[in-house]
Amino acid sequence: MAKSKPRVKVPKTAKAGEIITIKTLISHKMETGLRKDKKSGELIPRKIINHFKAEFNGTTVFETVMEPAVSSNPYIQFKMKVPESGEVVFTWTDDDGSKYTTKKKIKVG
Amino acid sequence: MRLNRRQVLILGAGATAVAAAGVPTMSIAADDPTAQQVIDKFTGGAAATSGRVDLGTPEIAENGNTVPIQVSVESPMTTDDHVAEVLIVADGNPRPDVAVFKFTELSGEAAASTRIRLAKTQNVIAVAKMSDGSFFMAKNAVKVTIGGCGG
């Protein structure tokens, strides 16, 4: 897969102190490193997204450490308490060190 | 050279011995820890009591490649009393560790869901680490029709 495209679903507005649900999905093969190539019989090297982090105005909200047992196109859903208007930054880290990020704004009102 | 019965028996015994010696090298690589070892590493040897953790898994998973799981932990989620981390373990997978969710007080509620791979019918275990250092766990059996190990 050439490019991993993240998709997130965050409500645009929320009440102060409201607990919202955030859904995230990123396209990624999540190669376990245990699978063998059908033609050559050699192991396909591991390549997964091993870390996910959500930050709100610079403070960490939620983190996940992932192992090869997480399915391809990892989907993560979690909750967040919205204290004020701000921006949520989502970061996925690949085994090769590359990072995929996306941002979403939440307005309190 | 013709072999008599006694010589054949000796040869056979030798072959068996060689085969037996060869077995240990075929066992699973030593760096793959068991589910219990993964949990012990997470808890630091402390015992995890059942309860407070709500683990939602399907009873029967048709496709082991994507098994939806949902975990939530009962907690007020304040600065002093919140769920710090939740470890997910699948005890029948070649590598039992699945994921670790890390919560903060900004999470509001210690709940998360994702999709995981299960190699065969097995138990999925969730262990929650509280901010005061106590541990809680929940264990669910999941039947897997088609394993998710890619053949």
Side-chain angles (χ1 to χ4, degrees):
Chain A
M1 207 176 306
K3 205 137 175 39
S4 289
K5 190 171 166 264
R7 279 190 287 166
V8 293
K9 200 168 187 185
V10 182
K12 285 196 178 75
T13 57
K15 291 188 197 95
E18 190 185 338
I19 293 171
I20 57 163
T21 303
I22 297 176
K23 293 174 180 176
T24 73
L25 188 71
I26 185 164
S27 56
H28 196 282
K29 247 186 165 161
M30 300 291 273
E31 197 57 65
T32 59
L34 302 167
R35 233 155 53 95
K36 278 179 183 156
D37 190 303
K38 276 196 180 124
K39 280 184 198 140
S40 66
E42 277 171 35
L43 280 179
I44 304 169
R46 176 185 136 149
K47 191 177 186 295
I48 66 163
I49 288 174
N50 55 42
H51 193 253
F52 166 76
K53 191 175 184 180
E55 284 170 304
F56 182 73
N57 292 347
T59 322
T60 305
V61 177
F62 179 80
E63 268 183 278
T64 310
V65 179
M66 284 176 268
E67 297 295 335
V70 174
S71 301
S72 54
N73 304 334
Y75 161 82
I76 303 166
Q77 182 191 319
F78 59 96
K79 306 264 185 184
M80 189 189 127
K81 197 173 178 177
V82 189
E84 65 213 9
S85 298
E87 194 175 43
V88 196
V89 181
F90 304 91
T91 315
W92 288 263
T93 314
D94 200 309
D95 265 352
D96 63 13
S98 49
K99 283 184 164 56
Y100 317 105
T101 45
T102 185
K103 293 169 189 173
K104 280 279 176 242
K105 282 200 171 86
I106 302 176
K107 210 177 152 192
V108 167
Chain B
M1 187 184 108
R2 282 191 61 192
L3 297 173
N4 61 28
R5 186 169 170 268
R6 187 171 294 169
Q7 283 168 325
V8 170
L9 280 175
I10 291 167
L11 277 175
T16 318
V18 168
V23 166
T25 56
M26 285 163 66
S27 64
I28 309 158
D31 59 345
D32 285 344
T34 63
Q36 195 54 50
Q37 280 169 329
V38 171
I39 295 171
D40 285 347
K41 201 179 159 201
F42 180 73
T43 61
T49 30
S50 316
R52 283 180 77 170
V53 181
D54 181 22
L55 178 64
T57 52
E59 229 168 86
I60 298 171
E62 275 178 22
N63 182 359
N65 260 318
T66 50
V67 183
I69 62 156
Q70 178 271 115
V71 65
S72 62
V73 187
E74 204 182 295
S75 165
M77 293 304 275
T78 57
T79 317
D80 302 330
D81 183 9
H82 63 270
V83 182
E85 295 178 15
V86 173
L87 169 82
I88 308 288
V89 174
D91 67 358
N93 270 6
R95 289 188 55 94
D97 34 1
V98 175
V100 179
F101 298 122
K102 294 181 183 170
F103 299 100
T104 62
E105 53 201 282
L106 256 185
S107 302
E109 219 174 280
S113 49
T114 186
R115 294 177 192 146
I116 64 169
R117 289 182 175 126
L118 296 176
K120 57 181 183 195
T121 298
Q122 56 182 294
N123 293 317
V124 176
I125 305 157
V127 186
K129 182 186 187 179
M130 301 300 183
S131 54
D132 63 0
S134 59
F135 293 93
F136 292 92
M137 65 176 281
K139 190 171 171 180
N140 276 7
V142 182
K143 274 189 186 149
V144 178
T145 320
I146 304 166
C149 255

